[in-house]
Amino acid sequence: QSVLTQPPSVSAAPGQKVTISCSGSSSNIGSNYVSWYQQLPGAAPKLLIYDSNKRPSGIPDRFSGSKSGTSATLGITGLQTGDEADYYCGTWDSSLSAGVFGGGTKLTVL
Amino acid sequence: EVQLLESGGGLVQPGGSLRLSCAASGFTFSSYAINWVRQAPGKGLEWVSAISDSGVYTYYADSVQGRFTVSRDNSRNTLFLQMNNLRAEDTAVYYCGRKYTNNWSMDFDYWGQGTLVTVSS
């Protein structure tokens, strides 16, 4: 049981938009920045979003992040088959003094 | 080029010990906090431990507290994870990740390729 809650799977057609939610509490998302990762099969995770809504250099603006209260959302527009991957949200939990991840969401581009 | 390279994984019996290393290059190692994150086969990411840039501050997941110890040698640009009293549920690929910002978050901009730890008799 993960501290952060993500839907197990989402799907959409190529070219469409998809959003992935990440729900937490006041001690984690509610008081700290959220990061999002993309993990392709057999590879290490790749940072997509940091500070809840910023993109590292090299990440296309098709990827966006937002946060409201104790929830965060990753948005991906112009879906491509290469976007098929597992996506994870993560943040620090101030009550646990520990890092926490969501359980991951598998994106299928139909 | 920034690189993180983990080593030290392998097969160990329950109750045994392993020491993982994470060798860093291409950046000023002593200026960055580093974290360990693991992933059990077919499962999601699990945060394990963090160490500050100086090594003074360390943090652990409840699941490893008291059994794992994180340390670093800034003169050798190397991070360590000493794992004692290993359990079957510690079986996972272990990644080291460089902390991108200085705030309380889980933003790791560079990751190693991972090293597999298998705990089994």
Side-chain angles (χ1 to χ4, degrees), chain A residues 32-33 35 37 39 43-45 47 50-51 88 90-92 97-101 103, chain B residues 37 39 43-47 59-60 95 100-101 103-109 111-112:
Chain A
N32 294 298
Y33 291 111
S35 304
Y37 293 91
Q39 187 177 33
L47 181 65
Y50 71 100
D51 285 0
Y88 295 90
T91 188
W92 187 259
S97 289
V100 289
F101 283 107
Chain B
V37 175
Q39 187 168 33
K43 303 297 184 182
L45 302 177
E46 180 186 12
W47 177 82
Y59 306 88
Y60 300 93
Y95 296 101
Y100 188 37
T101 64
N103 57 32
W104 293 105
S105 64
M106 294 271 282
D107 53 351
F108 312 127
D109 58 346
W111 297 62

mmCIF file of all heavy atoms in Angstrom, chain A residues 32-33 35 37 39 43-45 47 50-51 88 90-92 97-101 103, chain B residues 37 39 43-47 59-60 95 100-101 103-109 111-112:
data_model
loop_
_atom_site.group_PDB
_atom_site.id
_atom_site.type_symbol
_atom_site.label_atom_id
_atom_site.label_comp_id
_atom_site.label_asym_id
_atom_site.label_seq_id
_atom_site.Cartn_x
_atom_site.Cartn_y
_atom_site.Cartn_z
ATOM 1 N N ASN A 32 5.026 19.669 0.374
ATOM 2 C CA ASN A 32 6.304 19.527 -0.332
ATOM 3 C C ASN A 32 6.089 19.442 -1.847
ATOM 4 O O ASN A 32 4.983 19.216 -2.316
ATOM 5 C CB ASN A 32 7.037 18.275 0.155
ATOM 6 C CG ASN A 32 7.457 18.392 1.611
ATOM 7 O OD1 ASN A 32 8.247 19.263 1.984
ATOM 8 N ND2 ASN A 32 6.926 17.509 2.452
ATOM 9 N N TYR A 33 7.184 19.627 -2.569
ATOM 10 C CA TYR A 33 7.121 19.568 -4.026
ATOM 11 C C TYR A 33 6.958 18.124 -4.517
ATOM 12 O O TYR A 33 7.442 17.182 -3.904
ATOM 13 C CB TYR A 33 8.392 20.158 -4.638
ATOM 14 C CG TYR A 33 8.544 21.637 -4.460
ATOM 15 C CD1 TYR A 33 9.524 22.153 -3.620
ATOM 16 C CD2 TYR A 33 7.716 22.526 -5.145
ATOM 17 C CE1 TYR A 33 9.683 23.524 -3.457
ATOM 18 C CE2 TYR A 33 7.871 23.894 -4.991
ATOM 19 C CZ TYR A 33 8.848 24.391 -4.150
ATOM 20 O OH TYR A 33 8.985 25.745 -3.989
ATOM 21 N N SER A 35 7.454 15.343 -7.690
ATOM 22 C CA SER A 35 8.229 15.000 -8.880
ATOM 23 C C SER A 35 7.513 13.884 -9.626
ATOM 24 O O SER A 35 6.784 13.093 -9.021
ATOM 25 C CB SER A 35 9.642 14.529 -8.497
ATOM 26 O OG SER A 35 10.303 15.503 -7.736
ATOM 27 N N TYR A 37 8.124 10.805 -12.721
ATOM 28 C CA TYR A 37 9.100 10.016 -13.450
ATOM 29 C C TYR A 37 8.425 9.158 -14.510
ATOM 30 O O TYR A 37 7.293 8.687 -14.321
ATOM 31 C CB TYR A 37 9.858 9.092 -12.497
ATOM 32 C CG TYR A 37 10.740 9.818 -11.524
ATOM 33 C CD1 TYR A 37 10.268 10.206 -10.272
ATOM 34 C CD2 TYR A 37 12.048 10.143 -11.863
ATOM 35 C CE1 TYR A 37 11.070 10.897 -9.395
ATOM 36 C CE2 TYR A 37 12.863 10.835 -10.984
ATOM 37 C CZ TYR A 37 12.367 11.210 -9.759
ATOM 38 O OH TYR A 37 13.175 11.900 -8.888
ATOM 39 N N GLN A 39 9.281 5.587 -16.531
ATOM 40 C CA GLN A 39 10.172 4.442 -16.542
ATOM 41 C C GLN A 39 9.801 3.516 -17.689
ATOM 42 O O GLN A 39 8.719 2.914 -17.684
ATOM 43 C CB GLN A 39 10.142 3.678 -15.211
ATOM 44 C CG GLN A 39 11.193 2.584 -15.151
ATOM 45 C CD GLN A 39 11.233 1.849 -13.827
ATOM 46 O OE1 GLN A 39 10.216 1.666 -13.173
ATOM 47 N NE2 GLN A 39 12.416 1.439 -13.408
ATOM 48 N N ALA A 43 14.664 0.009 -17.865
ATOM 49 C CA ALA A 43 15.477 1.211 -17.720
ATOM 50 C C ALA A 43 15.274 1.859 -16.362
ATOM 51 O O ALA A 43 14.294 1.596 -15.665
ATOM 52 C CB ALA A 43 15.125 2.219 -18.818
ATOM 53 N N ALA A 44 16.220 2.723 -16.000
ATOM 54 C CA ALA A 44 16.073 3.511 -14.778
ATOM 55 C C ALA A 44 15.014 4.588 -14.998
ATOM 56 O O ALA A 44 14.750 4.984 -16.134
ATOM 57 C CB ALA A 44 17.405 4.152 -14.422
ATOM 58 N N PRO A 45 14.391 5.046 -13.918
ATOM 59 C CA PRO A 45 13.418 6.130 -14.059
ATOM 60 C C PRO A 45 14.059 7.391 -14.622
ATOM 61 O O PRO A 45 15.254 7.631 -14.427
ATOM 62 C CB PRO A 45 12.937 6.360 -12.624
ATOM 63 C CG PRO A 45 13.211 5.071 -11.929
ATOM 64 C CD PRO A 45 14.474 4.560 -12.545
ATOM 65 N N LEU A 47 13.504 11.623 -14.815
ATOM 66 C CA LEU A 47 12.796 12.743 -14.213
ATOM 67 C C LEU A 47 12.085 13.563 -15.289
ATOM 68 O O LEU A 47 12.730 14.067 -16.214
ATOM 69 C CB LEU A 47 13.784 13.620 -13.440
ATOM 70 C CG LEU A 47 13.217 14.831 -12.718
ATOM 71 C CD1 LEU A 47 12.263 14.411 -11.602
ATOM 72 C CD2 LEU A 47 14.355 15.697 -12.154
ATOM 73 N N TYR A 50 9.793 18.371 -11.858
ATOM 74 C CA TYR A 50 10.243 18.611 -10.494
ATOM 75 C C TYR A 50 9.603 19.897 -9.993
ATOM 76 O O TYR A 50 9.037 20.667 -10.774
ATOM 77 C CB TYR A 50 11.774 18.669 -10.418
ATOM 78 C CG TYR A 50 12.372 19.903 -11.044
ATOM 79 C CD1 TYR A 50 12.767 20.979 -10.251
ATOM 80 C CD2 TYR A 50 12.541 20.013 -12.425
ATOM 81 C CE1 TYR A 50 13.309 22.116 -10.812
ATOM 82 C CE2 TYR A 50 13.082 21.147 -13.000
ATOM 83 C CZ TYR A 50 13.474 22.203 -12.186
ATOM 84 O OH TYR A 50 14.008 23.330 -12.753
ATOM 85 N N ASP A 51 9.680 20.109 -8.688
ATOM 86 C CA ASP A 51 9.034 21.275 -8.075
ATOM 87 C C ASP A 51 7.574 21.399 -8.512
ATOM 88 O O ASP A 51 7.068 22.501 -8.740
ATOM 89 C CB ASP A 51 9.792 22.562 -8.409
ATOM 90 C CG ASP A 51 11.084 22.696 -7.615
ATOM 91 O OD1 ASP A 51 11.384 21.785 -6.820
ATOM 92 O OD2 ASP A 51 11.796 23.696 -7.800
ATOM 93 N N TYR A 88 5.519 7.457 -12.314
ATOM 94 C CA TYR A 88 5.485 7.507 -10.859
ATOM 95 C C TYR A 88 5.534 8.938 -10.362
ATOM 96 O O TYR A 88 6.281 9.766 -10.902
ATOM 97 C CB TYR A 88 6.691 6.772 -10.262
ATOM 98 C CG TYR A 88 6.729 5.291 -10.530
ATOM 99 C CD1 TYR A 88 7.366 4.788 -11.661
ATOM 100 C CD2 TYR A 88 6.146 4.385 -9.649
ATOM 101 C CE1 TYR A 88 7.406 3.426 -11.916
ATOM 102 C CE2 TYR A 88 6.183 3.016 -9.885
ATOM 103 C CZ TYR A 88 6.812 2.549 -11.023
ATOM 104 O OH TYR A 88 6.853 1.199 -11.271
ATOM 105 N N GLY A 90 6.337 11.243 -6.838
ATOM 106 C CA GLY A 90 7.100 11.096 -5.615
ATOM 107 C C GLY A 90 7.225 12.429 -4.905
ATOM 108 O O GLY A 90 7.190 13.495 -5.527
ATOM 109 N N THR A 91 7.362 12.366 -3.594
ATOM 110 C CA THR A 91 7.576 13.558 -2.804
ATOM 111 C C THR A 91 8.153 13.181 -1.442
ATOM 112 O O THR A 91 8.357 11.989 -1.170
ATOM 113 C CB THR A 91 6.259 14.355 -2.629
ATOM 114 O OG1 THR A 91 6.556 15.620 -2.007
ATOM 115 C CG2 THR A 91 5.270 13.596 -1.752
ATOM 116 N N TRP A 92 8.433 14.167 -0.641
ATOM 117 C CA TRP A 92 8.916 13.915 0.719
ATOM 118 C C TRP A 92 7.737 13.971 1.666
ATOM 119 O O TRP A 92 6.841 14.787 1.494
ATOM 120 C CB TRP A 92 9.951 14.968 1.090
ATOM 121 C CG TRP A 92 10.639 14.708 2.395
ATOM 122 C CD1 TRP A 92 10.383 15.293 3.609
ATOM 123 C CD2 TRP A 92 11.696 13.778 2.627
ATOM 124 N NE1 TRP A 92 11.223 14.784 4.571
ATOM 125 C CE2 TRP A 92 12.046 13.854 3.993
ATOM 126 C CE3 TRP A 92 12.405 12.887 1.809
ATOM 127 C CZ2 TRP A 92 13.054 13.074 4.548
ATOM 128 C CZ3 TRP A 92 13.408 12.116 2.357
ATOM 129 C CH2 TRP A 92 13.722 12.208 3.707
ATOM 130 N N SER A 97 9.429 11.707 7.727
ATOM 131 C CA SER A 97 10.836 12.041 7.424
ATOM 132 C C SER A 97 11.398 11.007 6.461
ATOM 133 O O SER A 97 12.470 10.412 6.667
ATOM 134 C CB SER A 97 11.678 12.077 8.695
ATOM 135 O OG SER A 97 11.350 13.201 9.469
ATOM 136 N N ALA A 98 10.645 10.799 5.392
ATOM 137 C CA ALA A 98 11.002 9.774 4.422
ATOM 138 C C ALA A 98 10.462 10.152 3.055
ATOM 139 O O ALA A 98 9.477 10.887 2.935
ATOM 140 C CB ALA A 98 10.441 8.422 4.839
ATOM 141 N N GLY A 99 11.090 9.642 2.034
ATOM 142 C CA GLY A 99 10.594 9.814 0.686
ATOM 143 C C GLY A 99 9.473 8.831 0.420
ATOM 144 O O GLY A 99 9.460 7.722 0.979
ATOM 145 N N VAL A 100 8.537 9.214 -0.427
ATOM 146 C CA VAL A 100 7.424 8.346 -0.761
ATOM 147 C C VAL A 100 7.137 8.434 -2.259
ATOM 148 O O VAL A 100 7.284 9.500 -2.863
ATOM 149 C CB VAL A 100 6.141 8.708 0.026
ATOM 150 C CG1 VAL A 100 6.301 8.331 1.494
ATOM 151 C CG2 VAL A 100 5.793 10.179 -0.112
ATOM 152 N N PHE A 101 6.750 7.289 -2.817
ATOM 153 C CA PHE A 101 6.362 7.215 -4.224
ATOM 154 C C PHE A 101 4.925 6.718 -4.316
ATOM 155 O O PHE A 101 4.430 6.043 -3.414
ATOM 156 C CB PHE A 101 7.238 6.217 -4.986
ATOM 157 C CG PHE A 101 8.603 6.716 -5.335
ATOM 158 C CD1 PHE A 101 9.723 6.247 -4.668
ATOM 159 C CD2 PHE A 101 8.783 7.642 -6.348
ATOM 160 C CE1 PHE A 101 10.991 6.682 -4.999
ATOM 161 C CE2 PHE A 101 10.051 8.089 -6.690
ATOM 162 C CZ PHE A 101 11.155 7.612 -6.012
ATOM 163 N N GLY A 103 2.215 4.222 -6.395
ATOM 164 C CA GLY A 103 2.356 2.847 -6.835
ATOM 165 C C GLY A 103 2.664 2.685 -8.315
ATOM 166 O O GLY A 103 2.998 1.584 -8.761
ATOM 167 N N VAL B 37 17.094 4.182 -4.107
ATOM 168 C CA VAL B 37 15.727 3.788 -4.421
ATOM 169 C C VAL B 37 15.779 2.352 -4.932
ATOM 170 O O VAL B 37 16.699 2.003 -5.677
ATOM 171 C CB VAL B 37 15.113 4.702 -5.510
ATOM 172 C CG1 VAL B 37 13.730 4.202 -5.926
ATOM 173 C CG2 VAL B 37 15.034 6.144 -5.008
ATOM 174 N N GLN B 39 13.616 -1.292 -6.452
ATOM 175 C CA GLN B 39 12.443 -1.748 -7.197
ATOM 176 C C GLN B 39 12.445 -3.278 -7.213
ATOM 177 O O GLN B 39 13.304 -3.888 -7.851
ATOM 178 C CB GLN B 39 12.455 -1.194 -8.622
ATOM 179 C CG GLN B 39 11.200 -1.477 -9.410
ATOM 180 C CD GLN B 39 11.139 -0.669 -10.699
ATOM 181 O OE1 GLN B 39 12.148 -0.381 -11.330
ATOM 182 N NE2 GLN B 39 9.927 -0.272 -11.089
ATOM 183 N N LYS B 43 7.528 -4.767 -9.520
ATOM 184 C CA LYS B 43 6.851 -3.850 -8.595
ATOM 185 C C LYS B 43 7.248 -2.402 -8.845
ATOM 186 O O LYS B 43 8.028 -2.103 -9.752
ATOM 187 C CB LYS B 43 7.181 -4.238 -7.142
ATOM 188 C CG LYS B 43 6.817 -5.664 -6.790
ATOM 189 C CD LYS B 43 5.321 -5.908 -6.889
ATOM 190 C CE LYS B 43 4.960 -7.314 -6.434
ATOM 191 N NZ LYS B 43 3.496 -7.582 -6.562
ATOM 192 N N GLY B 44 6.716 -1.504 -8.037
ATOM 193 C CA GLY B 44 6.979 -0.086 -8.179
ATOM 194 C C GLY B 44 8.238 0.362 -7.476
ATOM 195 O O GLY B 44 8.966 -0.424 -6.880
ATOM 196 N N LEU B 45 8.483 1.659 -7.537
ATOM 197 C CA LEU B 45 9.649 2.253 -6.898
ATOM 198 C C LEU B 45 9.416 2.375 -5.397
ATOM 199 O O LEU B 45 8.316 2.709 -4.959
ATOM 200 C CB LEU B 45 9.929 3.635 -7.479
ATOM 201 C CG LEU B 45 10.172 3.711 -8.984
ATOM 202 C CD1 LEU B 45 10.358 5.173 -9.402
ATOM 203 C CD2 LEU B 45 11.373 2.891 -9.387
ATOM 204 N N GLU B 46 10.468 2.130 -4.643
ATOM 205 C CA GLU B 46 10.428 2.304 -3.198
ATOM 206 C C GLU B 46 11.662 3.075 -2.747
ATOM 207 O O GLU B 46 12.791 2.645 -2.977
ATOM 208 C CB GLU B 46 10.385 0.957 -2.461
ATOM 209 C CG GLU B 46 10.337 1.106 -0.950
ATOM 210 C CD GLU B 46 10.446 -0.207 -0.189
ATOM 211 O OE1 GLU B 46 10.787 -1.233 -0.801
ATOM 212 O OE2 GLU B 46 10.191 -0.200 1.027
ATOM 213 N N TRP B 47 11.444 4.219 -2.109
ATOM 214 C CA TRP B 47 12.554 4.996 -1.565
ATOM 215 C C TRP B 47 13.165 4.250 -0.394
ATOM 216 O O TRP B 47 12.453 3.705 0.446
ATOM 217 C CB TRP B 47 12.051 6.366 -1.140
ATOM 218 C CG TRP B 47 13.104 7.204 -0.504
ATOM 219 C CD1 TRP B 47 14.046 7.955 -1.137
ATOM 220 C CD2 TRP B 47 13.329 7.368 0.895
ATOM 221 N NE1 TRP B 47 14.842 8.571 -0.210
ATOM 222 C CE2 TRP B 47 14.421 8.231 1.045
ATOM 223 C CE3 TRP B 47 12.712 6.862 2.041
ATOM 224 C CZ2 TRP B 47 14.910 8.613 2.288
ATOM 225 C CZ3 TRP B 47 13.195 7.231 3.286
ATOM 226 C CH2 TRP B 47 14.278 8.097 3.398
ATOM 227 N N TYR B 59 18.730 9.568 6.258
ATOM 228 C CA TYR B 59 17.319 9.242 6.427
ATOM 229 C C TYR B 59 17.080 7.843 5.866
ATOM 230 O O TYR B 59 17.743 7.433 4.910
ATOM 231 C CB TYR B 59 16.447 10.255 5.680
ATOM 232 C CG TYR B 59 16.717 11.683 6.055
ATOM 233 C CD1 TYR B 59 17.697 12.423 5.400
ATOM 234 C CD2 TYR B 59 16.001 12.301 7.078
ATOM 235 C CE1 TYR B 59 17.967 13.736 5.751
ATOM 236 C CE2 TYR B 59 16.260 13.620 7.434
ATOM 237 C CZ TYR B 59 17.239 14.321 6.768
ATOM 238 O OH TYR B 59 17.496 15.624 7.122
ATOM 239 N N TYR B 60 16.103 7.153 6.464
ATOM 240 C CA TYR B 60 15.831 5.778 6.067
ATOM 241 C C TYR B 60 14.338 5.502 6.025
ATOM 242 O O TYR B 60 13.563 6.041 6.825
ATOM 243 C CB TYR B 60 16.473 4.797 7.053
ATOM 244 C CG TYR B 60 17.964 4.915 7.152
ATOM 245 C CD1 TYR B 60 18.544 5.722 8.118
ATOM 246 C CD2 TYR B 60 18.792 4.231 6.267
ATOM 247 C CE1 TYR B 60 19.927 5.847 8.209
ATOM 248 C CE2 TYR B 60 20.173 4.343 6.348
ATOM 249 C CZ TYR B 60 20.730 5.162 7.322
ATOM 250 O OH TYR B 60 22.091 5.280 7.409
ATOM 251 N N TYR B 95 18.931 1.372 -7.030
ATOM 252 C CA TYR B 95 19.430 2.503 -7.797
ATOM 253 C C TYR B 95 19.934 3.590 -6.849
ATOM 254 O O TYR B 95 19.330 3.832 -5.801
ATOM 255 C CB TYR B 95 18.318 3.135 -8.622
ATOM 256 C CG TYR B 95 17.687 2.287 -9.697
ATOM 257 C CD1 TYR B 95 16.456 1.664 -9.485
ATOM 258 C CD2 TYR B 95 18.271 2.164 -10.947
ATOM 259 C CE1 TYR B 95 15.844 0.926 -10.474
ATOM 260 C CE2 TYR B 95 17.662 1.420 -11.955
ATOM 261 C CZ TYR B 95 16.455 0.809 -11.708
ATOM 262 O OH TYR B 95 15.839 0.085 -12.707
ATOM 263 N N TYR B 100 18.315 16.649 -7.348
ATOM 264 C CA TYR B 100 18.428 17.779 -8.266
ATOM 265 C C TYR B 100 18.410 19.132 -7.546
ATOM 266 O O TYR B 100 19.208 20.010 -7.840
ATOM 267 C CB TYR B 100 17.280 17.696 -9.275
ATOM 268 C CG TYR B 100 17.329 18.659 -10.423
ATOM 269 C CD1 TYR B 100 18.527 19.005 -11.023
ATOM 270 C CD2 TYR B 100 16.155 19.214 -10.929
ATOM 271 C CE1 TYR B 100 18.563 19.887 -12.087
ATOM 272 C CE2 TYR B 100 16.179 20.097 -11.996
ATOM 273 C CZ TYR B 100 17.383 20.424 -12.573
ATOM 274 O OH TYR B 100 17.419 21.301 -13.626
ATOM 275 N N THR B 101 17.470 19.281 -6.614
ATOM 276 C CA THR B 101 17.352 20.555 -5.903
ATOM 277 C C THR B 101 17.675 20.360 -4.425
ATOM 278 O O THR B 101 17.894 19.233 -3.977
ATOM 279 C CB THR B 101 15.929 21.119 -6.027
ATOM 280 O OG1 THR B 101 15.016 20.215 -5.381
ATOM 281 C CG2 THR B 101 15.526 21.287 -7.483
ATOM 282 N N ASN B 103 15.566 21.262 -1.997
ATOM 283 C CA ASN B 103 14.356 21.284 -1.181
ATOM 284 C C ASN B 103 13.926 19.873 -0.783
ATOM 285 O O ASN B 103 14.572 18.889 -1.149
ATOM 286 C CB ASN B 103 13.220 21.996 -1.932
ATOM 287 C CG ASN B 103 12.931 21.338 -3.280
ATOM 288 O OD1 ASN B 103 13.087 20.140 -3.440
ATOM 289 N ND2 ASN B 103 12.491 22.142 -4.247
ATOM 290 N N TRP B 104 12.856 19.808 0.003
ATOM 291 C CA TRP B 104 12.342 18.521 0.452
ATOM 292 C C TRP B 104 11.473 17.943 -0.659
ATOM 293 O O TRP B 104 10.277 18.220 -0.763
ATOM 294 C CB TRP B 104 11.535 18.692 1.743
ATOM 295 C CG TRP B 104 12.374 19.091 2.893
ATOM 296 C CD1 TRP B 104 12.460 20.327 3.465
ATOM 297 C CD2 TRP B 104 13.298 18.261 3.603
ATOM 298 N NE1 TRP B 104 13.370 20.312 4.495
ATOM 299 C CE2 TRP B 104 13.893 19.066 4.602
ATOM 300 C CE3 TRP B 104 13.679 16.926 3.498
ATOM 301 C CZ2 TRP B 104 14.848 18.564 5.494
ATOM 302 C CZ3 TRP B 104 14.627 16.422 4.386
ATOM 303 C CH2 TRP B 104 15.187 17.236 5.369
ATOM 304 N N SER B 105 12.085 17.158 -1.484
ATOM 305 C CA SER B 105 11.366 16.538 -2.584
ATOM 306 C C SER B 105 12.130 15.294 -3.015
ATOM 307 O O SER B 105 13.125 14.916 -2.409
ATOM 308 C CB SER B 105 11.221 17.512 -3.754
ATOM 309 O OG SER B 105 12.507 17.840 -4.271
ATOM 310 N N MET B 106 11.606 14.660 -4.050
ATOM 311 C CA MET B 106 12.210 13.420 -4.537
ATOM 312 C C MET B 106 12.595 13.605 -6.007
ATOM 313 O O MET B 106 12.242 12.790 -6.864
ATOM 314 C CB MET B 106 11.193 12.285 -4.386
ATOM 315 C CG MET B 106 10.883 11.982 -2.952
ATOM 316 S SD MET B 106 11.997 10.775 -2.329
ATOM 317 C CE MET B 106 11.251 9.320 -3.071
ATOM 318 N N ASP B 107 13.316 14.661 -6.301
ATOM 319 C CA ASP B 107 13.707 14.940 -7.673
ATOM 320 C C ASP B 107 15.144 14.503 -7.901
ATOM 321 O O ASP B 107 16.082 15.123 -7.424
ATOM 322 C CB ASP B 107 13.522 16.424 -8.004
ATOM 323 C CG ASP B 107 14.215 17.343 -7.020
ATOM 324 O OD1 ASP B 107 14.707 16.845 -5.986
ATOM 325 O OD2 ASP B 107 14.272 18.555 -7.298
ATOM 326 N N PHE B 108 15.300 13.396 -8.608
ATOM 327 C CA PHE B 108 16.609 12.818 -8.897
ATOM 328 C C PHE B 108 16.852 12.922 -10.396
ATOM 329 O O PHE B 108 16.184 12.268 -11.184
ATOM 330 C CB PHE B 108 16.663 11.358 -8.435
ATOM 331 C CG PHE B 108 16.153 11.170 -7.035
ATOM 332 C CD1 PHE B 108 15.176 10.239 -6.756
ATOM 333 C CD2 PHE B 108 16.631 11.955 -5.993
ATOM 334 C CE1 PHE B 108 14.688 10.078 -5.476
ATOM 335 C CE2 PHE B 108 16.143 11.811 -4.700
ATOM 336 C CZ PHE B 108 15.171 10.869 -4.452
ATOM 337 N N ASP B 109 17.824 13.759 -10.776
ATOM 338 C CA ASP B 109 18.012 14.024 -12.191
ATOM 339 C C ASP B 109 18.922 13.028 -12.893
ATOM 340 O O ASP B 109 18.851 12.885 -14.117
ATOM 341 C CB ASP B 109 18.515 15.456 -12.417
ATOM 342 C CG ASP B 109 19.825 15.756 -11.709
ATOM 343 O OD1 ASP B 109 20.226 14.977 -10.825
ATOM 344 O OD2 ASP B 109 20.442 16.786 -12.048
ATOM 345 N N TRP B 111 20.403 8.922 -12.517
ATOM 346 C CA TRP B 111 20.287 7.631 -11.862
ATOM 347 C C TRP B 111 21.371 6.695 -12.401
ATOM 348 O O TRP B 111 21.787 6.820 -13.546
ATOM 349 C CB TRP B 111 18.930 6.984 -12.154
ATOM 350 C CG TRP B 111 17.740 7.722 -11.642
ATOM 351 C CD1 TRP B 111 17.318 8.981 -11.995
ATOM 352 C CD2 TRP B 111 16.773 7.229 -10.697
ATOM 353 N NE1 TRP B 111 16.163 9.293 -11.322
ATOM 354 C CE2 TRP B 111 15.797 8.243 -10.531
ATOM 355 C CE3 TRP B 111 16.632 6.033 -9.991
ATOM 356 C CZ2 TRP B 111 14.698 8.094 -9.666
ATOM 357 C CZ3 TRP B 111 15.536 5.882 -9.143
ATOM 358 C CH2 TRP B 111 14.590 6.901 -8.990
ATOM 359 N N GLY B 112 21.761 5.753 -11.569
ATOM 360 C CA GLY B 112 22.622 4.702 -12.058
ATOM 361 C C GLY B 112 21.810 3.677 -12.834
ATOM 362 O O GLY B 112 20.597 3.809 -12.973
#
